C-alpha cells in the first residue's frame, strides 16, 4: 500500500533532487563581470560558434585572455588598461584545428575624476635614490605576480567583498600627491578599522606576499586565467605563498602600512595584466 507518509517522503526527496540539479547547473553557468568597454573596464566578447569543445586561445595585445563557457558559446573576458587607447581594438582567436581569426571591439572614452591628497611622509611622494631601488624591485615582484597565467576551468568571476566598509576612493581617480601628478588610482579603497579581517572574494591560491614601499604589507591571490587580486596596506598577513584559499576564508587584516592617509584596504583586480575596476566583479553591495 502506498500511504500518505511515503508519498510525502517521496515529494521531499524529489524536491531535494531538483535543488541539487539547480545548484549543479548554476555552477556550470558563469556569471560574467559587467560589460564595460572603457579604459579600466572589461569587455565581454562572444566568440564565433565552434564545434570544438576545448577552450580557444585568445590574446589581446599579445597577452593571453580569459575565456569562459557561457551557455552554448565561448566568451572572452578582456581586461582593458587605464591607459588603453579609445576606439577600435582587437583580439586574436585560435581554436584547435581551425583557422585563427580576429574580432574587434570598441573602447569608449571615460573621464575619471581628479583627487588631491596630502601625504605627511614626504619620502612616500619624493623617494630617495635608495627608495627608488626598492620601488623598482617591488614593482618587478608585483607585476610578476599580477601577470601570472594559470589554467582554471572552474573559474568564478563573481566576487564577494573582501571587507565591508565605505568605498572611500573609487577606481580610476587621476591623482595628485602634495600637488604633484602621479599614476591614476588603479584600485578601489575600502575604509575599515585597523585589524578588521580580510577574506578571499573567490577561491584562489596565494601567489605572492610582501612588504612594499608604496603598497605596504600585501597579499596577491591568483584566481586563474589571468585574474589576480591584490590587497595592500595590510596590518597582518596570515597566509603563505602557495596556500589555497576558499571564498570567504580569512587571509589577514586591514592596516595602514605603505603610502596611506589612514587605515583602509586598497584592492586591486588585475585581468590579463591590466588593472580593472573591482566593482565590475562584485555581486555584493558595501
Ligand atoms: Zn587606494
Amino acid at each position: 500500500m502506498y500511504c500518505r507518509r511515503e508519498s510525502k517522503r517521496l515529494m521531499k526527496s524529489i524536491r531535494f533532487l531538483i535543488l541539487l540539479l539547480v545548484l549543479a547547473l548554476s555552477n556550470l553557468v558563469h556569471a560574467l563581470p559587467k560589460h564595460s568597454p572603457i579604459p579600466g573596464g572589461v569587455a565581454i566578447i562572444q566568440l564565433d560558434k565552434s564545434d570544438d569543445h576545448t577552450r580557444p586561445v585568445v590574446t589581446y595585445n599579445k597577452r593571453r585572455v580569459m575565456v569562459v563557457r557561457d551557455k552554448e558559446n565561448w566568451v572572452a573576458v578582456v581586461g582593458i588598461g587605464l591607459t588603453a587607447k579609445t576606439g577600435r581594438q582587437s583580439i586574436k582567436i585560435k581554436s584547435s584545428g581551425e583557422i585563427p581569426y580576429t574580432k574587434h571591439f570598441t573602447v569608449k572614452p571615460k573621464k575619471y575624476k581628479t583627487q588631491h591628497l596630502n601625504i605627511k611622509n614626504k619620502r612616500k611622494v619624493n623617494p630617495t635614490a635608495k627608495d627608488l631601488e626598492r620601488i623598482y624591485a617591488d614593482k618587478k615582484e608585483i607585476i610578476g605576480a599580477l601577470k601570472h597565467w594559470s589554467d582554471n576551468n572552474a573559474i568564478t568571476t563573481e566576487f564577494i567583498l573582501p571587507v565591508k566598509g565605505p568605498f572611500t576612493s573609487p577606481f580610476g581617480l587621476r591623482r595628485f600627491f602634495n600637488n604633484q601628478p602621479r599614476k591614476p588610482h588603479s584600485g578601489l579603497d575600502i575604509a575599515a578599522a585597523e585589524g578588521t579581517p580580510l577574506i578571499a572574494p573567490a577561491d584562489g591560491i596565494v601567489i605572492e606576499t610582501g612588504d612594499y614601499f608604496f603598497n605596504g604589507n600585501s597579499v596577491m591571490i591568483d584566481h586563474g586565467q589571468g585574474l589576480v587580486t591584490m590587497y595592500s596596506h595590510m596590518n597582518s598577513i596570515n597566509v603563505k605563498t602557495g596556500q589555497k584559499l576558499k571564498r570567504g576564508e580569512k587571509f589577514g587584516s586591514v592596516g595602514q602600512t605603505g603610502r596611506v592617509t589612514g587605515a583602509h584596504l586598497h584592492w586591486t583586480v588585475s585581468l590579463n595584466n591590466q588593472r580593472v575596476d573591482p566593482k565590475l566583479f562584485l555581486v555584493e553591495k558595501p
Side-chain angles (χ1 to χ4, degrees):
M1 265 293 278
Y2 201 69
C3 74
R4 254 183 109 118
R5 194 185 284 169
E6 258 177 282
S7 81
K8 243 187 182 171
R9 214 177 283 155
L10 188 70
M11 279 306 288
K12 234 182 178 175
S13 38
I14 287 172
R15 241 181 270 149
F16 182 66
L17 279 173
I18 290 171
L19 181 74
L20 279 182
L21 195 70
V22 167
L23 281 175
L25 283 173
S26 67
N27 268 329
L28 293 174
V29 177
H30 293 273
L32 297 165
K34 217 168 141 194
H35 176 63
S36 174
I38 55 169
V42 173
I44 308 292
I45 304 163
Q46 208 178 83
L47 306 183
D48 289 355
K49 276 227 167 352
S50 162
D51 296 330
D52 191 3
H53 273 257
T54 51
R55 189 168 356 109
V57 173
V58 176
T59 51
Y60 168 58
N61 291 338
K62 294 189 178 139
R63 287 195 190 99
R64 189 87 185 263
V65 160
M66 179 191 288
V67 177
V68 294
R69 193 86 180 163
D70 186 36
K71 295 174 194 100
E72 291 301 292
N73 303 297
W74 288 111
V75 174
V77 184
V78 185
I80 306 163
L82 268 167
T83 55
K85 283 199 181 101
T86 53
R88 203 159 102 128
Q89 305 252 356
S90 61
I91 52 169
K92 287 195 169 76
I93 302 108
K94 173 93 185 77
S95 299
S96 64
E98 286 175 32
I99 299 162
Y101 66 99
T102 301
K103 257 196 137 53
H104 298 284
F105 65 104
T106 305
V107 176
K108 292 177 188 152
K110 161 88 183 170
K111 212 169 156 47
Y112 288 102
K113 285 188 182 138
T114 301
Q115 183 185 45
H116 285 266
L117 288 171
N118 272 312
I119 305 289
K120 284 195 193 96
N121 183 349
K122 300 273 183 291
R123 257 177 73 192
K124 297 282 176 191
V125 181
N126 299 104
T128 63
K130 214 170 169 184
D131 292 337
L132 283 171
E133 263 176 51
R134 185 180 158 199
I135 290 163
Y136 180 74
D138 287 356
K139 204 175 161 184
K140 221 175 131 184
E141 189 168 300
I142 293 167
I143 299 287
L146 294 181
K147 73 176 187 191
H148 186 77
W149 177 272
S150 60
D151 280 306
N152 181 358
N153 288 320
I155 197 152
T156 174
T157 54
E158 285 185 309
F159 287 165
I160 57 167
L161 280 164
V163 64
K164 285 199 172 140
F167 293 173
T168 41
S169 285
F171 171 89
L173 290 174
R174 293 179 298 151
R175 276 189 151 171
F176 291 82
F177 288 105
N178 303 353
N179 288 322
Q180 298 170 55
R182 289 293 181 269
K183 280 200 177 133
H185 192 225
S186 58
L188 167 68
D189 286 356
I190 306 175
E194 185 150 9
T196 309
L198 286 171
I199 57 166
D203 293 1
I205 297 169
V206 177
I207 186 169
E208 191 72 79
T209 67
D211 171 16
Y212 306 116
F213 187 82
F214 290 128
N215 296 85
N217 289 332
S218 304
V219 167
M220 278 159 270
I221 305 173
D222 176 23
H223 303 281
Q225 287 206 53
L227 180 62
V228 181
T229 55
M230 179 176 178
Y231 306 81
S232 303
H233 313 309
M234 290 170 65
N235 178 358
S236 60
I237 294 175
N238 309 137
V239 285
K240 286 196 171 74
T241 303
Q243 196 173 322
K244 277 189 185 163
L245 285 173
K246 283 266 160 222
R247 169 191 265 189
E249 207 173 322
K250 192 190 158 188
F251 61 87
S253 64
V254 172
Q256 43 186 327
T257 53
R259 183 175 62 188
V260 291
T261 54
H264 74 281
L265 167 70
H266 172 86
W267 184 26
T268 310
V269 173
S270 184
L271 187 61
N272 48 270
N273 196 22
Q274 301 302 309
R275 263 45 87 202
V276 294
D277 190 351
K279 269 168 91 176
L280 299 170
F281 296 77
L282 279 175
V283 289
E284 212 185 8
K285 291 218 159 55

